[in-house]
Amino acid sequence: MRPSGRTANQIRPVSFTRQFTCHAEGSVLVEFGNTKVLCNATVEEGVPRFMKGQGKGWVTAEYSMLPRSTHTRSDREAARGKQSGRTLEIQRLIARSLRAAVDLKQLGENTIVVDCDVIQADGGTRTASITGACVALVDALNWMRAKGLIKTNPLKHMIAALSVGVYQGTPIADLEYVEDSAAETDMNVVMTDTGKLIEVQGTAEEEPFSFDEMQEMMELAKHGLREIFDLQKSALN
Amino acid sequence: MRPSGRTANQIRPVSFTRQFTCHAEGSVLVEFGNTKVLCNATVEEGVPRFMKGQGKGWVTAEYSMLPRSTHTRSDREAARGKQSGRTLEIQRLIARSLRAAVDLKQLGENTIVVDCDVIQADGGTRTASITGACVALVDALNWMRAKGLIKTNPLKHMIAALSVGVYQGTPIADLEYVEDSAAETDMNVVMTDTGKLIEVQGTAEEEPFSFDEMQEMMELAKHGLREIFDLQKSALN
Amino acid sequence: MRPSGRTANQIRPVSFTRQFTCHAEGSVLVEFGNTKVLCNATVEEGVPRFMKGQGKGWVTAEYSMLPRSTHTRSDREAARGKQSGRTLEIQRLIARSLRAAVDLKQLGENTIVVDCDVIQADGGTRTASITGACVALVDALNWMRAKGLIKTNPLKHMIAALSVGVYQGTPIADLEYVEDSAAETDMNVVMTDTGKLIEVQGTAEEEPFSFDEMQEMMELAKHGLREIFDLQKSALN
Amino acid sequence: MRPSGRTANQIRPVSFTRQFTCHAEGSVLVEFGNTKVLCNATVEEGVPRFMKGQGKGWVTAEYSMLPRSTHTRSDREAARGKQSGRTLEIQRLIARSLRAAVDLKQLGENTIVVDCDVIQADGGTRTASITGACVALVDALNWMRAKGLIKTNPLKHMIAALSVGVYQGTPIADLEYVEDSAAETDMNVVMTDTGKLIEVQGTAEEEPFSFDEMQEMMELAKHGLREIFDLQKSALN
Amino acid sequence: MRPSGRTANQIRPVSFTRQFTCHAEGSVLVEFGNTKVLCNATVEEGVPRFMKGQGKGWVTAEYSMLPRSTHTRSDREAARGKQSGRTLEIQRLIARSLRAAVDLKQLGENTIVVDCDVIQADGGTRTASITGACVALVDALNWMRAKGLIKTNPLKHMIAALSVGVYQGTPIADLEYVEDSAAETDMNVVMTDTGKLIEVQGTAEEEPFSFDEMQEMMELAKHGLREIFDLQKSALN
Amino acid sequence: MRPSGRTANQIRPVSFTRQFTCHAEGSVLVEFGNTKVLCNATVEEGVPRFMKGQGKGWVTAEYSMLPRSTHTRSDREAARGKQSGRTLEIQRLIARSLRAAVDLKQLGENTIVVDCDVIQADGGTRTASITGACVALVDALNWMRAKGLIKTNPLKHMIAALSVGVYQGTPIADLEYVEDSAAETDMNVVMTDTGKLIEVQGTAEEEPFSFDEMQEMMELAKHGLREIFDLQKSALN
């Protein structure tokens, strides 16, 4: 039995609130149960130095948790003067995943930055961020087309992400904090709506996991992500 | 005529949403029109090193703007590796103001940190932060009494803040962004609900201001803050 | 009775030593009693990036206290690797005040940086810095005219600053350290020699202050600053 | 055909030189073809603050590339003043993997730090680091037993790591730089010598990968890692 | 002929102004011609962590140039966020030299920090700093004895420093800026008043120097330092 | 008697392994007994900003010790976020010495960076670094000529360095760690193969040294460096 009473393959209620703030070209509050992340997509002219002159665009992301988005307060990274390894790792993952969704050539020499700021955390903030960021990205691309900045749609496919894990010996989907902190294994899967994989990151927290357990977790992820793709599409209509 | 159509002494709609997030001991979303700030108060055991052994508590604050809370995106301070002078100045102002509301002796050796994170900015983020932070602080103090951490109520009085300024030659109250960015003078006033002053910070942006203009701005602030104190009290009942 | 034996509105002896060092375009040692600040104005070709191409100049300032300018030694900010919030706040105040004294268009695309380094501190270092920096600024502008870098005089008016406060219930002018550290309220006023206000920053340290006390402090400031403007002018002749 | 002429499942020559330097408790130069990493294990008394008083030990790792270990020189991280996101991500991976090999309770309140410094890079530096670090860790544990610091052997199992990927449509094992930089997918697998998984990190660099391709890459990893475990064991005898 | 008209072995006028500021336990303005350095010695209870529990004291130093102590303005190190290699090298030299003058055991567990802040630079700031710092150190030691913090005098001997060099083929003493910036070789010598050496640092700036030139420079240093020791002693009487 | 059994003027076995790594234009492992430093020379197009447009090249160096190159582990500078004063001092010394060996005009607008990374330390790492870096520099210059980047040979002379000191009252050459840490005086001498001096840095660690002792140490350095120049030349043939 899961603490939440959910079945092994049952994900939490997932929702997307578009235009959550008024300035960003794409602004989405994504919720996976009690996990709430604000994903703001900004369109900027030009590209970083290392991309200049290639006629291609760039997509990047930043991630942060509000100091009191968690059970106890964490230090503010801006005050400490550096981002933690965990933060950098997560924002690199979000950015790579988003770039895999976009044809950078069709973007022209423009940059899209997606800021994922965790307002409230209850497990799965990185996967919620990717899932919400993709919706904000779509809104930003539509804004670009409406403004005439791009002619075609650079989106190759939707992406979404889900955490799965092994909890008390059983593979389960969409871990919330109490499950996550006690899980033997934790795995994050980023997938396209065409059923292919972008990222798989599995970590044995307490005990090594078998090839079979990995297989089962992959199946749970595939199943849960199909539901999430449907919700993403509804939100965008 | 103000861009917003407001009269010179008319403030924007002000609202407070308590328990906006679930982990903090006090969590308030304060809105002054389109300016929205999330104020989370955290109670921590112990005090900073320089306060140890005095039997007194401490109240402090941190302030940050989400990168895309503004019209164009600003660099994330955590990524740049330091907080700007403006940020430090604002969080010092918030913290000093909050400490002026509390009898630190009655707090015991506990610390309250109030995080003010600007979700959306349209002028007056520092005054909205102070005003919302005071409500979050009250919720945190009530939580402490309910938990038995303190016996008495350390709150000396409520505090609130308002920006006033001289815009096209006329003193006005509660400037929004388009007014603020074009104002000749900008003044922030922090007051107690007993009608006394905590902080006054007036700055000539374009033109020096006269002693008379200062007097008029002070009157506007006093008037507007009375309305805000009523709204704070309603929110807390 | 004030610890110094001064009357409530009596300022300390104020003096300006021009050409205190030999390299800077303007170099002034300003003294307010035992508070001594070296203000060096440097003229540099060009402007910061955000000002480029507007045909206007820029004026900025930096502030620092020598580690042992105070009763006990403070850490050196260069060694600690960052400037404190207090330092940043003060140098932003000095810079804003100086910019209010200059017509940036007449300055051409040149920058004046005024370094205010506190040699010895006894209260009022920020107001002494502003008052001395204005004299160094005038010397630098005269140097620019002598060199033919500018044709006209960009100075709009002299500026000077004074601290006032409420000490043991009585408003007083020009607080020295023993007064400042015990004052209920501390207020810094930056004024033009034409009698208008540039900055007003009042802070309740111990007790909130009334609108009437504020009025009295403003009068003390106006009175004291008239004396200081006379001394500035003598020093420049 | 692979640039190296290797078959799809053929790994490069792997070697371990123990006691490569004279001061460290474990010192191993690991080579995967032209990739050479020096892994030095240091035994230190005590544990980090967050682990104190639990009667358990700690294992951690640091990773760095010498500036000219690569084709072109990279900036030295110590000179730039911070470690890159990539570096932090890799050293977190190495450390997590090593901790999964050790029973921290049997280690007592001691810390083992393994420094992985890349002397020469040709793809797969993180997997080589993990594989060599495990040998250095074993030497350090043996040193501890010889010194009487621990009574039992805290090693739960050996670990090793291998990179696999999809290159020109074909899954291959142990990518060298020219393959890695052109691969569609890159996956790092950390395994125990008992055939279980510690970490799996797969990333689509150019094209999303299918569940089937993932399966094939996992098989290649399992196969290659068996060879590597044999080499590790020979090196330790 | 030297630009200054001085003979090869002629040093500049050297002076010491004690009690230059009022807070420091030793405060000396040292002048070597136009080079002016303020040396403030601070006595602090306790020693740095690595010295604790040995019953010995510690002497250290910090060095900085005011941004406009030089012909053109340098960036402020506190603003840049780090001290330059040159600064660190110089303050390490000053500190080592001062420690060589003191018997740390007789100092008890106390620390003396000497801050050397260059007010005006015209060559030889590091040697002037050492020479002035020694006088400030003596004043601080006398203050400690007067306060009863120490019973004996920990001073082993006076120290002083002088720069010598090869300028247009001729060895000369006490280089000023125009000489220093054109010299072939630059050498700094720190000596005791008992005629022994503490530090010798010779650097070929343009051309390697011969063993004979080195010998001549050493003689010039010995000669000049004898004069300086006389001036130090006069200043202390 | 020296701990090593060497005579006072006997240096340790010195060796140079060229092409130690495969990517750098010059790559030399230099060994002075148990001290081992990897010196990688990188050729880069262009020069630092302050050298631009002068038609001259630049030579610089960086130095680092692997965390466990020493008896006990030191913190990694990249993790601490800054290079120590000792590191900066040493790499400035190496860079200045190398520049003294090269005619920068003949180098064209190219930069050579020599990275000196200490693999294993047993005293004299800075002098070994300089000695090995010069060989790597020669290899890099030869590479440039072979590539046609330069037409002439910019090398003015070979350089090498040796540490000497006073140990238990006797001047000795090439101190290893146990001698170095107990020596009264430590001196590093950088010389050209034409018998002239580039740098002399002598430091009294425990006791001031006499002019005569200095003379003796200089003789030991001259003698030992002649041997080293022979070994350098053999290595290059």
Side-chain angles (χ1 to χ4, degrees):
Chain A
M1 197 56 145
R2 301 175 64 168
S4 58
R6 285 191 274 147
T7 59
N9 66 359
Q10 190 181 350
I11 62 173
R12 292 174 286 183
V14 171
S15 71
F16 303 90
T17 308
R18 289 162 69 201
Q19 296 175 296
F20 188 76
T21 63
C22 65
H23 299 306
E25 284 74 42
S27 178
V28 171
L29 182 79
V30 62
E31 302 176 58
F32 276 54
N34 277 326
T35 289
K36 301 181 187 193
V37 185
L38 175 50
C39 307
N40 281 335
T42 295
V43 177
E44 292 178 338
E45 236 184 309
V47 285
R49 193 173 312 181
F50 67 91
M51 289 293 291
K52 272 190 185 146
Q54 304 180 33
K56 291 162 65 178
W58 190 243
V59 177
T60 188
E62 294 192 355
Y63 168 93
S64 182
M65 301 182 87
L66 292 196
R68 193 56 198 281
S69 58
T70 42
H71 284 77
T72 56
R73 187 176 183 273
S74 311
D75 285 348
R76 187 177 291 271
E77 292 185 328
R80 251 197 350 229
K82 66 174 176 175
Q83 294 175 291
S84 71
R86 178 186 174 275
T87 290
L88 291 170
E89 193 171 312
I90 291 175
Q91 69 188 20
R92 281 160 55 89
L93 170 65
I94 301 171
R96 273 199 315 270
S97 299
L98 294 176
R99 279 197 292 279
V102 173
D103 179 351
L104 297 176
K105 281 180 212 121
Q106 294 187 48
L107 198 56
E109 291 220 346
N110 297 295
T111 295
I112 299 178
V113 186
V114 186
D115 288 289
C116 299
D117 286 275
V118 178
I119 303 295
Q120 190 172 281
D122 188 28
T125 63
R126 80 187 70 189
T127 43
S129 293
I130 292 167
T131 306
C134 185
V135 177
L137 177 71
V138 168
D139 278 341
L141 291 173
N142 288 340
W143 181 90
M144 290 177 82
R145 291 175 77 191
K147 285 274 168 189
L149 294 175
I150 49 174
K151 295 266 156 61
T152 56
N153 188 350
L155 192 78
K156 298 199 286 191
H157 39 247
M158 292 298 289
I159 62 165
L162 189 63
S163 80
V164 288
V166 179
Y167 175 74
Q168 299 186 346
T170 308
I172 58 173
D174 192 19
L175 289 70
E176 51 192 79
Y177 178 74
V178 287
E179 295 167 340
D180 188 45
S181 57
E184 292 98 73
T185 297
D186 180 27
M187 188 154 83
N188 295 296
V189 178
V190 187
M191 208 171 83
T192 67
D193 61 352
T194 56
K196 293 201 142 192
L197 293 161
I198 299 290
E199 289 269 348
V200 175
Q201 296 197 340
T203 299
E205 299 286 353
E206 292 293 322
E207 282 302 313
F209 52 104
S210 67
F211 283 70
D212 285 349
E213 282 169 329
M214 176 153 180
Q215 197 64 22
E216 287 180 71
M217 286 189 281
M218 293 300 294
E219 285 304 315
L220 280 174
K222 192 197 290 187
H223 178 88
L225 283 163
R226 278 193 197 128
E227 283 184 56
I228 290 170
F229 282 119
D230 287 344
L231 293 162
Q232 267 186 342
K233 275 161 206 167
S234 305
L236 281 165
N237 289 333
Chain B
M1 195 55 145
R2 300 175 66 166
S4 59
R6 286 191 273 147
T7 58
N9 66 359
Q10 189 181 350
I11 62 173
R12 291 176 286 183
V14 170
S15 71
F16 303 89
T17 308
R18 289 162 68 200
Q19 297 174 295
F20 188 75
T21 62
C22 65
H23 299 306
E25 284 75 42
S27 178
V28 171
L29 182 78
V30 61
E31 302 178 56
F32 276 55
N34 278 324
T35 289
K36 302 182 186 192
V37 185
L38 174 51
C39 305
N40 280 337
T42 296
V43 177
E44 293 177 339
E45 233 183 313
V47 286
R49 191 172 313 183
F50 67 91
M51 290 292 293
K52 274 190 183 144
Q54 304 180 31
K56 290 162 66 178
W58 189 242
V59 177
T60 187
E62 294 193 356
Y63 168 92
S64 182
M65 301 181 85
L66 293 196
R68 193 56 198 281
S69 58
T70 43
H71 285 76
T72 56
R73 187 176 183 274
S74 311
D75 285 348
R76 186 178 292 271
E77 292 185 329
R80 253 199 346 232
K82 65 174 178 176
Q83 294 176 291
S84 71
R86 177 184 174 275
T87 291
L88 291 170
E89 193 172 312
I90 292 175
Q91 71 188 20
R92 282 160 55 89
L93 170 65
I94 301 171
R96 274 200 314 271
S97 299
L98 293 175
R99 278 195 294 277
V102 173
D103 179 350
L104 297 176
K105 281 181 212 120
Q106 294 187 46
L107 198 55
E109 291 220 348
N110 296 296
T111 296
I112 299 178
V113 186
V114 186
D115 288 289
C116 298
D117 286 274
V118 178
I119 303 295
Q120 189 172 282
D122 188 28
T125 62
R126 82 187 69 187
T127 43
S129 294
I130 292 167
T131 306
C134 185
V135 177
L137 177 71
V138 169
D139 278 340
L141 292 172
N142 288 339
W143 180 91
M144 290 178 81
R145 292 175 75 190
K147 286 272 168 189
L149 294 175
I150 49 175
K151 294 266 158 60
T152 56
N153 188 351
L155 192 77
K156 298 199 287 190
H157 39 246
M158 292 298 288
I159 62 163
L162 189 64
S163 80
V164 288
V166 179
Y167 175 74
Q168 300 186 344
T170 307
I172 58 172
D174 192 18
L175 288 72
E176 52 193 75
Y177 178 74
V178 288
E179 296 166 341
D180 188 46
S181 59
E184 293 98 74
T185 297
D186 180 28
M187 189 153 83
N188 295 296
V189 179
V190 187
M191 209 171 84
T192 66
D193 61 352
T194 55
K196 292 201 144 192
L197 294 161
I198 298 291
E199 288 270 347
V200 176
Q201 296 197 340
T203 298
E205 299 285 351
E206 292 294 320
E207 283 301 313
F209 52 104
S210 66
F211 282 70
D212 285 351
E213 283 169 329
M214 177 153 181
Q215 196 64 23
E216 287 180 70
M217 287 188 282
M218 293 299 294
E219 285 304 315
L220 281 174
K222 191 196 291 186
H223 178 89
L225 282 163
R226 278 194 195 129
E227 284 183 55
I228 290 170
F229 282 118
D230 287 344
L231 293 162
Q232 266 186 342
K233 275 161 206 168
S234 306
L236 281 165
N237 288 335
Chain C
M1 197 54 146
R2 301 175 65 168
S4 58
R6 286 191 273 145
T7 59
N9 65 0
Q10 190 181 350
I11 63 173
R12 292 176 286 183
V14 171
S15 72
F16 304 89
T17 308
R18 288 162 69 200
Q19 297 174 295
F20 188 76
T21 64
C22 65
H23 299 306
E25 284 75 42
S27 178
V28 171
L29 182 79
V30 62
E31 301 177 57
F32 276 56
N34 277 326
T35 289
K36 302 182 186 192
V37 185
L38 174 51
C39 306
N40 279 337
T42 295
V43 177
E44 292 179 339
E45 234 183 310
V47 286
R49 192 172 311 180
F50 67 92
M51 289 293 292
K52 271 190 185 144
Q54 305 180 31
K56 292 161 64 177
W58 189 242
V59 177
T60 187
E62 294 192 356
Y63 168 93
S64 182
M65 301 182 86
L66 292 196
R68 195 53 199 282
S69 58
T70 42
H71 285 77
T72 56
R73 186 175 184 274
S74 311
D75 285 347
R76 187 177 291 271
E77 292 185 329
R80 252 200 345 231
K82 65 175 178 174
Q83 295 175 292
S84 71
R86 178 185 174 276
T87 292
L88 290 171
E89 193 171 313
I90 292 175
Q91 70 188 20
R92 282 159 56 88
L93 170 65
I94 301 170
R96 273 201 314 272
S97 299
L98 293 176
R99 279 196 293 278
V102 172
D103 179 351
L104 298 177
K105 280 181 213 121
Q106 294 187 48
L107 198 55
E109 291 220 346
N110 297 295
T111 295
I112 299 178
V113 186
V114 187
D115 288 289
C116 298
D117 287 274
V118 178
I119 302 297
Q120 190 173 281
D122 188 28
T125 62
R126 79 188 71 187
T127 43
S129 293
I130 291 168
T131 305
C134 185
V135 177
L137 177 71
V138 168
D139 278 342
L141 291 173
N142 288 339
W143 180 91
M144 290 178 82
R145 291 175 75 190
K147 285 275 169 186
L149 294 175
I150 48 174
K151 295 265 156 61
T152 56
N153 188 350
L155 192 78
K156 298 200 286 190
H157 39 247
M158 292 298 288
I159 61 164
L162 189 64
S163 81
V164 289
V166 179
Y167 175 74
Q168 299 185 347
T170 308
I172 58 172
D174 192 20
L175 289 69
E176 50 194 78
Y177 178 74
V178 287
E179 296 166 340
D180 188 45
S181 58
E184 293 98 74
T185 296
D186 180 27
M187 189 153 83
N188 295 297
V189 178
V190 187
M191 208 170 84
T192 67
D193 60 352
T194 56
K196 293 200 142 192
L197 294 160
I198 298 289
E199 288 269 349
V200 175
Q201 296 195 340
T203 298
E205 300 285 351
E206 292 295 321
E207 282 301 313
F209 51 104
S210 66
F211 282 72
D212 284 351
E213 283 169 330
M214 175 151 182
Q215 196 65 21
E216 287 181 71
M217 287 188 281
M218 293 299 294
E219 284 304 316
L220 281 173
K222 191 196 290 188
H223 178 89
L225 282 164
R226 278 194 196 127
E227 283 184 56
I228 291 170
F229 282 119
D230 288 344
L231 294 162
Q232 267 187 341
K233 275 160 207 168
S234 304
L236 281 165
N237 289 334
Chain D
M1 195 56 146
R2 300 176 66 168
S4 59
R6 286 191 274 145
T7 58
N9 65 0
Q10 190 182 350
I11 63 172
R12 292 175 285 182
V14 171
S15 71
F16 303 89
T17 309
R18 288 163 69 201
Q19 296 174 295
F20 188 76
T21 63
C22 66
H23 299 305
E25 283 75 43
S27 178
V28 172
L29 183 78
V30 62
E31 302 178 56
F32 276 55
N34 278 324
T35 289
K36 302 181 186 192
V37 185
L38 175 51
C39 306
N40 280 336
T42 296
V43 177
E44 293 178 338
E45 233 183 311
V47 286
R49 191 171 314 181
F50 67 91
M51 289 294 292
K52 274 192 182 142
Q54 303 179 34
K56 291 162 65 177
W58 189 242
V59 177
T60 187
E62 294 193 358
Y63 169 93
S64 182
M65 302 181 85
L66 292 196
R68 194 54 198 282
S69 59
T70 43
H71 285 77
T72 56
R73 186 176 185 274
S74 311
D75 285 348
R76 187 178 291 271
E77 292 185 328
R80 251 199 347 231
K82 65 174 178 177
Q83 294 175 292
S84 71
R86 178 185 174 276
T87 291
L88 291 170
E89 194 171 312
I90 291 175
Q91 70 188 18
R92 282 159 55 89
L93 169 66
I94 301 170
R96 273 199 314 271
S97 299
L98 293 175
R99 278 195 294 277
V102 173
D103 179 350
L104 298 176
K105 280 181 213 121
Q106 294 187 48
L107 198 54
E109 292 221 348
N110 297 296
T111 295
I112 300 178
V113 186
V114 186
D115 287 290
C116 299
D117 286 274
V118 179
I119 303 296
Q120 189 173 282
D122 188 28
T125 62
R126 82 188 69 187
T127 43
S129 294
I130 292 167
T131 306
C134 184
V135 177
L137 178 71
V138 168
D139 277 341
L141 291 173
N142 288 340
W143 179 92
M144 290 177 81
R145 291 175 75 189
K147 286 272 167 189
L149 294 175
I150 49 176
K151 296 264 158 60
T152 56
N153 187 350
L155 192 78
K156 298 198 287 190
H157 39 246
M158 292 298 288
I159 61 164
L162 189 63
S163 80
V164 288
V166 180
Y167 174 73
Q168 299 186 348
T170 307
I172 59 174
D174 192 19
L175 289 70
E176 51 194 76
Y177 179 74
V178 288
E179 296 166 339
D180 188 46
S181 58
E184 293 98 76
T185 296
D186 180 27
M187 190 153 84
N188 295 297
V189 179
V190 187
M191 210 171 83
T192 65
D193 61 352
T194 56
K196 292 202 145 193
L197 294 160
I198 298 290
E199 288 269 346
V200 176
Q201 296 196 341
T203 299
E205 299 285 351
E206 292 294 320
E207 283 301 313
F209 52 105
S210 66
F211 282 71
D212 284 351
E213 282 169 330
M214 178 154 180
Q215 197 63 22
E216 287 180 71
M217 287 188 282
M218 293 299 295
E219 285 304 315
L220 281 173
K222 193 196 291 185
H223 178 89
L225 283 163
R226 278 194 197 129
E227 284 184 55
I228 291 170
F229 282 118
D230 287 345
L231 294 162
Q232 267 186 343
K233 274 160 207 169
S234 306
L236 281 165
N237 289 334
Chain E
M1 196 55 144
R2 301 176 64 167
S4 58
R6 286 191 273 147
T7 58
N9 66 359
Q10 190 181 351
I11 62 172
R12 293 175 285 182
V14 171
S15 71
F16 303 89
T17 309
R18 289 163 69 201
Q19 297 174 297
F20 188 76
T21 63
C22 65
H23 300 305
E25 284 75 42
S27 178
V28 172
L29 182 79
V30 62
E31 302 178 58
F32 276 56
N34 278 324
T35 289
K36 302 183 186 191
V37 185
L38 174 52
C39 306
N40 280 336
T42 296
V43 177
E44 292 178 339
E45 234 183 310
V47 286
R49 191 172 314 182
F50 67 91
M51 289 293 292
K52 274 191 182 144
Q54 303 180 32
K56 291 162 64 178
W58 189 243
V59 177
T60 187
E62 294 192 356
Y63 169 92
S64 182
M65 301 181 86
L66 292 196
R68 194 56 198 281
S69 59
T70 43
H71 284 78
T72 57
R73 186 176 184 274
S74 311
D75 285 348
R76 186 178 291 271
E77 292 184 328
R80 252 200 347 232
K82 65 174 178 177
Q83 295 175 292
S84 71
R86 178 185 174 275
T87 291
L88 291 170
E89 193 172 314
I90 292 175
Q91 72 188 19
R92 281 159 56 88
L93 170 65
I94 300 170
R96 273 200 313 271
S97 300
L98 293 176
R99 278 195 294 276
V102 174
D103 179 350
L104 297 176
K105 280 180 213 123
Q106 294 187 48
L107 198 55
E109 291 221 348
N110 297 295
T111 296
I112 300 179
V113 187
V114 187
D115 288 289
C116 299
D117 286 274
V118 178
I119 303 295
Q120 190 172 281
D122 188 29
T125 62
R126 82 187 69 188
T127 43
S129 294
I130 292 167
T131 306
C134 185
V135 178
L137 178 70
V138 169
D139 278 340
L141 291 172
N142 288 339
W143 180 90
M144 290 177 81
R145 292 175 74 190
K147 286 272 169 188
L149 295 175
I150 49 177
K151 295 265 158 59
T152 57
N153 188 350
L155 192 78
K156 298 199 286 190
H157 39 245
M158 291 298 288
I159 62 163
L162 189 63
S163 80
V164 288
V166 179
Y167 174 75
Q168 300 186 347
T170 308
I172 58 173
D174 192 19
L175 289 70
E176 52 193 77
Y177 178 74
V178 289
E179 295 167 341
D180 187 46
S181 57
E184 292 98 74
T185 296
D186 180 28
M187 189 153 84
N188 295 295
V189 179
V190 187
M191 209 171 85
T192 66
D193 60 353
T194 55
K196 292 202 143 193
L197 294 160
I198 299 290
E199 289 270 347
V200 175
Q201 297 196 340
T203 299
E205 300 284 352
E206 293 293 321
E207 283 300 314
F209 53 104
S210 66
F211 282 71
D212 285 350
E213 283 169 330
M214 177 152 182
Q215 197 63 22
E216 287 180 70
M217 287 187 281
M218 293 299 295
E219 285 304 315
L220 280 174
K222 191 196 291 186
H223 178 88
L225 282 163
R226 279 194 196 128
E227 285 183 55
I228 291 170
F229 282 118
D230 288 344
L231 294 162
Q232 266 186 343
K233 275 160 206 168
S234 305
L236 281 165
N237 289 333
Chain F
M1 196 55 144
R2 299 176 66 167
S4 58
R6 286 190 274 146
T7 58
N9 66 0
Q10 190 181 351
I11 62 173
R12 292 175 285 183
V14 171
S15 71
F16 304 89
T17 309
R18 288 162 69 201
Q19 297 174 293
F20 188 76
T21 63
C22 65
H23 299 305
E25 283 76 42
S27 178
V28 172
L29 183 78
V30 61
E31 302 177 57
F32 275 56
N34 278 325
T35 289
K36 302 183 187 192
V37 185
L38 174 51
C39 306
N40 280 337
T42 296
V43 177
E44 293 178 339
E45 234 183 311
V47 285
R49 193 172 313 182
F50 68 91
M51 289 294 292
K52 273 191 183 144
Q54 303 180 32
K56 291 162 65 178
W58 189 242
V59 177
T60 187
E62 294 193 355
Y63 168 92
S64 182
M65 302 181 85
L66 292 196
R68 194 55 198 283
S69 58
T70 43
H71 285 77
T72 56
R73 186 175 184 273
S74 311
D75 285 347
R76 187 177 290 270
E77 292 185 328
R80 252 199 346 230
K82 63 176 180 176
Q83 295 175 291
S84 71
R86 178 185 175 275
T87 291
L88 290 170
E89 194 171 313
I90 292 175
Q91 70 188 20
R92 281 159 56 88
L93 169 66
I94 301 170
R96 273 200 314 271
S97 299
L98 293 176
R99 279 196 293 278
V102 174
D103 179 350
L104 298 176
K105 280 181 212 120
Q106 293 187 48
L107 198 55
E109 292 220 346
N110 297 294
T111 296
I112 299 178
V113 187
V114 187
D115 288 289
C116 298
D117 286 274
V118 178
I119 303 295
Q120 190 173 280
D122 188 28
T125 62
R126 79 187 72 186
T127 44
S129 293
I130 292 167
T131 306
C134 184
V135 177
L137 177 70
V138 168
D139 277 341
L141 292 173
N142 288 340
W143 180 91
M144 290 177 82
R145 290 175 76 190
K147 285 273 168 188
L149 295 174
I150 49 175
K151 296 265 156 62
T152 57
N153 188 350
L155 193 77
K156 298 199 287 190
H157 39 247
M158 292 298 288
I159 63 166
L162 189 64
S163 80
V164 289
V166 180
Y167 175 75
Q168 299 185 348
T170 307
I172 58 172
D174 192 19
L175 290 70
E176 51 194 77
Y177 178 75
V178 287
E179 296 167 340
D180 188 46
S181 58
E184 292 99 73
T185 296
D186 180 27
M187 188 153 83
N188 295 297
V189 178
V190 188
M191 208 171 84
T192 67
D193 60 352
T194 56
K196 293 201 142 192
L197 295 159
I198 299 288
E199 289 269 347
V200 176
Q201 296 196 340
T203 298
E205 300 285 352
E206 292 295 321
E207 282 302 313
F209 52 105
S210 67
F211 282 72
D212 284 349
E213 283 169 329
M214 177 154 179
Q215 196 65 21
E216 287 180 72
M217 287 188 280
M218 293 300 295
E219 284 305 315
L220 279 173
K222 194 196 289 186
H223 178 87
L225 283 163
R226 278 194 196 128
E227 284 183 56
I228 290 170
F229 282 118
D230 287 343
L231 294 162
Q232 266 186 344
K233 274 161 207 167
S234 305
L236 281 165
N237 289 333

